[in-house]
Amino acid sequence: MIRISSQQVFSNGINRMQELNSNLNNTQQQISTGKRVNKPSDDPVAAARILKLDQELSRVKTYERNANLADNRLSQEENALTSAVDVIQRIRELTVQAGNGALSPNDRRSISSELKERLGQLANIGNTRDASGEYIFSGFQGSVQAFQKNAAGMYEYNGDEGQRVLEIDDGVTVPISDNGKDIFMSVPAAITGEYTTNASGGFISGVNLVNEAALNAAYSGSFPDDITITVDAANNIQAQDSLGNILPVTPATYESGEPFVVAGIEATISGMALGSTDVFTLKVNEKQSVFGTIENLISGLESLDKGTPEGRAQYDDMVAQSLVNLDNAQESFILKQTELGGRMNAVESTKSFLADSSVYSNEIRSQLQDVDYAEAISNLSFQSFVLQAAQQSFAQVSQLSLFDRL
């Protein structure tokens, strides 16, 4: 026979009602928060998986912010280069117009005035800033203005050659900037001719590349270098590279004002006295900034005198070389735009992958954590009923006492 004291009756009854009340509170909390698991003790296994999913969602959110930042920076750079291409196209049109032999000096000055405005416009594009105020073409030195005029009034690059990259997924990085030196300053220049020594008043003109394959063949795959041109006492044109290798010239006999070809490069020497020691150099594989091209064009329009044969040849060469340099600059911009398009496609693909990963993780997390309202409300009703019955039963039992039987 088991003896049960009144204290045990009261203790057991209170513990049971506390347990029922705790279950009821838990169900109410699930309904109010919409979460089935509010603390680890609710479901330890699910709580551990939810924690991992939260970490995964946090990682995805961070990479999504990075991807959006990369997309914005790349789009801004692409827009800047698109504007630069438009400016270069207008400058090219003005250069073609400047080549019209019927233009008066006033006409050339008018073209020069617009070129100055376009030059400033191009410099402003090169000094584009992002949303945080950093110059996008300054490399790592975002606080430094990319292009500024030096003491001589010529534009020069003040940034560095750094390229910023951003991680947009685990092990996936994308460059989000390009330095202005590679885009605006290191543009392949047209082949030019200049004299090293000029004692007889001769000059070289009409220099242009007519056969690129012949130029490549002349150097046998090595880096193209300058070519030195001389005319010997027998009136023969001689050409050699910087290593002293003799290059064939066609035709090999000098005749003033008549073009000749060496290594696929056509040139003309005029006004040179026979037997002189004049030496000319063909500058091959030079680099020139797009700003330098426009600055030289402006200077030539304002200063070159077309009243002499040499002046006319220099003016015509300036226009022809400027067109080649502008085309090279435009090609440099377009190639960079193509590269940016590839990066933007990679960013877009990564953004789609991250979005899919986020949706999947949220679905799994919802299945583990979110409450089933129909089930929870049903449990709440049942628990309320059980608690109420327990309270009524305890009220009846608590009134029983052995002293009532004495």
Side-chain angles (χ1 to χ4, degrees):
M1 182 177 180
I2 300 176
R3 296 181 179 181
I4 301 176
S5 65
S6 297
Q7 183 178 1
Q8 286 179 301
V9 171
F10 278 90
S11 296
N12 291 338
I14 291 173
N15 290 338
R16 176 58 178 163
M17 283 188 292
Q18 287 178 338
E19 180 184 352
L20 293 173
N21 190 60
S22 176
N23 292 337
L24 181 65
N25 289 336
N26 287 339
T27 304
Q28 288 177 330
Q29 185 180 18
Q30 288 177 346
I31 294 174
S32 63
T33 61
K35 297 179 180 179
R36 184 180 67 85
V37 181
N38 289 288
K39 53 185 182 295
S41 60
D42 292 339
D43 189 336
V45 175
R49 293 191 62 190
I50 290 170
L51 178 61
K52 290 183 178 180
L53 288 170
D54 286 340
Q55 294 172 345
E56 171 65 13
L57 288 170
S58 177
R59 182 193 70 84
V60 169
K61 187 175 294 185
T62 299
Y63 284 137
E64 283 181 331
R65 286 197 298 268
N66 288 354
N68 288 329
L69 174 61
D71 196 24
N72 291 336
R73 284 293 299 265
L74 294 174
S75 296
Q76 187 176 23
E77 183 177 345
E78 183 186 40
N79 292 335
L81 291 178
T82 298
S83 299
V85 169
D86 293 339
V87 172
I88 292 297
Q89 183 59 38
R90 176 53 185 165
I91 293 174
R92 194 184 191 285
E93 292 172 1
L94 292 171
T95 305
V96 172
Q97 184 178 346
N100 187 344
L103 292 180
S104 67
N106 286 335
D107 293 333
R108 293 198 295 271
R109 281 192 291 270
S110 297
I111 294 174
S112 175
S113 296
E114 183 174 349
L115 285 174
K116 290 177 181 178
E117 295 298 325
R118 297 296 179 177
L119 177 61
Q121 185 181 359
L122 187 63
N124 289 335
I125 293 172
N127 289 323
T128 299
R129 300 191 187 194
D130 62 14
S132 60
E134 292 193 333
Y135 295 94
I136 66 174
F137 292 113
S138 290
F140 293 138
Q141 302 184 42
S143 61
V144 177
Q145 184 173 327
F147 301 99
Q148 299 182 39
K149 287 185 176 181
N150 56 22
M154 314 291 278
Y155 280 102
E156 62 182 9
Y157 181 65
N158 295 299
D160 57 31
E161 298 181 41
Q163 184 180 54
R164 301 187 183 190
V165 297
L166 194 62
E167 188 174 19
I168 57 175
D169 200 359
D170 289 337
V172 179
T173 58
V174 61
I176 61 170
S177 71
D178 294 282
N179 67 79
K181 181 177 181 180
D182 290 342
I183 301 174
F184 293 87
M185 308 301 288
S186 299
V187 179
I191 298 174
T192 59
E194 59 184 36
Y195 59 80
T196 306
T197 59
N198 184 9
S200 66
F203 60 91
I204 188 169
S205 63
V207 178
N208 66 95
L209 180 62
V210 295
N211 191 335
E212 186 173 358
L215 177 62
N216 295 332
Y219 285 89
S220 302
S222 62
F223 211 62
D225 203 351
D226 294 347
I227 299 173
T228 301
I229 305 294
T230 58
V231 180
D232 61 19
N235 216 28
N236 293 318
I237 303 175
Q238 296 182 348
Q240 64 179 18
D241 61 20
S242 60
L243 298 177
N245 298 316
I246 303 300
L247 302 175
V249 180
T250 305
T253 303
Y254 164 70
E255 187 173 345
S256 181
E258 292 298 321
F260 61 90
V261 177
V262 53
I265 303 170
E266 184 179 73
T268 301
I269 296 177
S270 305
M272 192 183 75
L274 297 180
S276 67
T277 58
D278 294 353
V279 179
F280 302 92
T281 302
L282 298 179
K283 308 293 290 185
V284 182
N285 204 48
E286 296 291 306
K287 301 288 185 181
Q288 180 169 286
S289 76
V290 63
F291 300 107
T293 294
I294 303 169
E295 289 162 348
N296 291 340
L297 182 59
I298 293 171
S299 176
L301 286 171
E302 295 178 345
S303 63
L304 286 179
D305 181 11
K306 297 180 66 176
T308 64
E310 183 177 0
R312 286 194 296 273
Q314 289 178 346
Y315 186 88
D316 292 341
D317 284 349
M318 176 201 68
V319 171
Q321 291 163 8
S322 295
L323 288 173
V324 173
N325 292 339
L326 290 171
D327 287 343
N328 290 342
Q330 192 172 51
E331 183 179 359
S332 175
F333 296 155
I334 293 174
L335 286 175
K336 184 57 65 175
Q337 283 182 302
T338 303
E339 183 181 334
L340 290 174
R343 295 184 207 166
M344 293 174 71
N345 287 338
V347 170
E348 192 63 33
S349 298
T350 302
K351 286 172 66 176
S352 298
F353 173 78
L354 291 173
D356 292 341
S357 179
S358 178
V359 170
Y360 174 76
S361 297
N362 275 310
E363 287 179 353
I364 301 299
R365 186 175 181 273
S366 176
Q367 293 173 6
L368 293 171
Q369 188 175 52
D370 292 351
V371 69
D372 183 340
Y373 280 100
E375 181 182 359
I377 292 172
S378 177
N379 289 338
L380 182 65
S381 300
F382 178 73
Q383 289 167 349
S384 298
F385 170 75
V386 172
L387 178 60
Q388 184 179 5
Q391 289 172 339
Q392 292 176 351
S393 299
F394 180 73
Q396 295 294 327
V397 173
S398 63
Q399 295 177 2
L400 299 178
S401 173
L402 291 176
F403 294 102
D404 295 337
R405 300 290 183 264
L406 296 178

